Amino acid sequence: MIDRRRFLHLSGATCLASITGCGVTRPDSSHSAHVVVIGGGFAGATAAKTLRMLDPGLKVTLIEANAHYMTCPTSNWVLAGIKSVRDLCFDYRALSQNHGVDVIIGKVNAVDAAQKTVTLQGGGSLHYDRLIMAPGIDFVWDDIAGYDAETARRIPHAWQAGPQTRLLWRQLQAMPDNGLIVLLAPPNPFRCPPGPYERASLMAWYCQHYKPKAKILILDRKRGFSKQHLFIQGWRRLYGYGADNGRIEWQSITDNPVVALRPENTLETDFGDRFTADVLNIIPRQKAGKIAHLTGLTDDSGWCPVTPLSAESTRMPGIHVIGDAAIYAGIPKSAFAANSEAKACAMAVVALLNDKLPQAPLWMNTCFSLLSPGQAISVSMVYKLNSAQQIEKVKGAGGVSLKTDEASLHRESEFARYWYQSITRDTFF
Ligand SMILES: Cc1cc2nc3c(=O)[nH]c(=O)nc-3n(C[C@H](O)[C@H](O)[C@H](O)COP(=O)(O)OP(=O)(O)OC[C@H]3O[C@@H](n4cnc5c(N)ncnc54)[C@H](O)[C@@H]3O)c2cc1C
């Protein structure tokens, strides 16, 4: 770990210069153009690195609110005690040292699309030629009475990794042996469609070993979920799903939604049903990160519409949106997809800066989900643009795990570990 002061020192004097001065900082004349990237998650960090790899003459500034990034991928693993929160942590030194990305640790609080400037909290602005926005998600707090950002400090969502993950893990450990965990799964679209069910699986595995009489009830704001038949098959085999003493129970509550959080960890539905939990994990409805809303990049859905070919906003030319915040109809919101969208976007931006047309990209996604520490399932797909410039699945590519014998499930859990190593390397180094 490095402290903030040392980090800023390592990340280069040019970046310090660009935030300390008043007024707008313009790129020096030796660079052809300046691309600013907001958000150093899987989308933004990959885009910044790829831009510099494609065109080493390009000035690229990555602005990220936190000096350390905590990955959501594998954060569910913490809940089975097979990983610690510290293992999720990355920083931006390598992007700066290996790729010459100017990294600014600071929060953007305004974008002026007409003037092509971004303004940092605390002052200082930067001029850009093109802007890539990758702020991830924010939560919709007003649809469950009594649950808001403040309450989430006590009743974690753990849908942004870090302190929230740690809090949920501590609550799980402190729960009585016969405790009830209630997990409220969000409506579509949301970050990581199989994530809530991987979480339930790993909490079930933990309970099997350390809280033998505990149960997990998933209340779902959808009628079905990603890889459902594979999860249910795994839960039947591992956790007695469907039997009287099954450890996991799943209920769709689309016709009787949760409307309020009452005292003592109780969820109340529209028809007055009440569910009181020892550990309550509410995963709220989601929308694009706040800066995307402030900039005017979102539509009524709360997400940012883009032209898939270039990732350019359909609302604001010159600004590209990638990762979870963007609408890539059909492609799930995942780290894998964010990384893939970032590479395609970087190629498009370099083409556009050189007055060329972007090439039609292919996007990829794979999501592994652990059923237990040694068993996993996956879904993968390749996507392309059709003649109407819309995203569609490449026929015959991808699909879900076909083999569910123990050796195959074990192999997939190994793939999940290797995937995590390679995606974090590809993004942050
Ligand atoms: C429990 C869980 C498990 C998951 N598992 C997987 C998995 O196994 N595989 C997979 O592919 N995906 C997985 N995901 C999904 C994955 O985490 C997200 O899809 C991915 O993080 C999206 O990347 P992003 O860059 O769009 O957003 P983020 O990773 O959220 O990054 C956004 C960044 O922008 C920064 N930011 C926001 N606003 C500002 C601002 N105003 N100024 C400066 N910086 C700002 C934030 O600090 C943040 O670092 C999982 C998610 C969860 C919750």
Side-chain angles (χ1 to χ4, degrees), residues 38-45 63-66 68-77 92 106-109 120 134-137 158-161 191-192 195-196 198-199 289-291 322-325 332-338 341 365-369 419 423:
I38 301 175
F42 284 98
I63 310 176
E64 163 54 47
N66 302 300
H68 295 101
Y69 178 79
M70 302 282 187
T71 66
C72 285
T74 72
S75 64
N76 282 334
W77 302 17
Y92 299 96
K107 194 167 182 183
V108 173
N109 61 6
L120 288 142
I137 57 160
W159 221 242
Q160 282 163 329
R191 153 175 290 185
C192 195
E198 177 188 63
R199 175 170 291 177
K290 188 173 173 191
I291 189 65
I322 51 173
D324 285 358
K333 297 186 184 302
S334 76
F336 197 127
E341 289 157 17
N365 179 55
T366 298
C367 279
F368 295 97
S369 305
W419 170 78
I423 193 87

Side-chain angles (χ1 to χ4, degrees), residues 388-399:
Q389 296 295 296
Q390 282 175 341
I391 296 168
E392 69 175 32
K393 292 178 178 172
V394 172
K395 284 202 182 80

Side-chain angles (χ1 to χ4, degrees), residues 23-178:
V24 178
T25 306
R26 289 178 189 274
D28 67 58
S29 55
S30 60
H31 288 96
S32 49
H34 186 202
V35 181
V36 171
V37 182
I38 301 175
F42 284 98
T46 306
K49 169 179 165 179
T50 310
L51 284 165
R52 289 280 306 165
M53 289 174 78
L54 289 171
D55 181 355
L58 203 60
K59 180 173 169 64
V60 178
T61 304
L62 174 68
I63 310 176
E64 163 54 47
N66 302 300
H68 295 101
Y69 178 79
M70 302 282 187
T71 66
C72 285
T74 72
S75 64
N76 282 334
W77 302 17
V78 172
L79 306 173
I82 54 173
K83 217 171 192 191
S84 77
V85 171
R86 202 177 298 177
D87 299 330
L88 309 174
C89 187
F90 292 83
D91 65 41
Y92 299 96
R93 277 178 298 181
L95 287 189
S96 170
Q97 289 170 354
N98 301 346
H99 301 285
V101 175
D102 286 348
V103 179
I104 294 176
I105 300 303
K107 194 167 182 183
V108 173
N109 61 6
V111 173
D112 183 333
Q115 296 299 317
K116 293 194 166 183
T117 57
V118 302
T119 305
L120 288 142
Q121 200 170 46
S125 299
L126 283 93
H127 180 268
Y128 63 82
D129 294 295
R130 287 210 171 245
L131 178 67
I132 299 179
M133 178 80 86
I137 57 160
D138 212 337
F139 299 110
V140 176
W141 292 113
D142 55 9
D143 66 348
I144 298 174
Y147 190 66
D148 57 18
E150 192 49 41
T151 323
R153 290 168 181 271
R154 197 166 45 78
I155 299 176
H157 50 74
W159 221 242
Q160 282 163 329
Q164 283 274 310
T165 317
R166 195 176 282 120
L167 179 61
L168 185 55
W169 171 226
R170 288 197 178 134
Q171 291 184 355
L172 200 57
Q173 289 173 287
M175 181 180 76
D177 273 4
N178 62 351

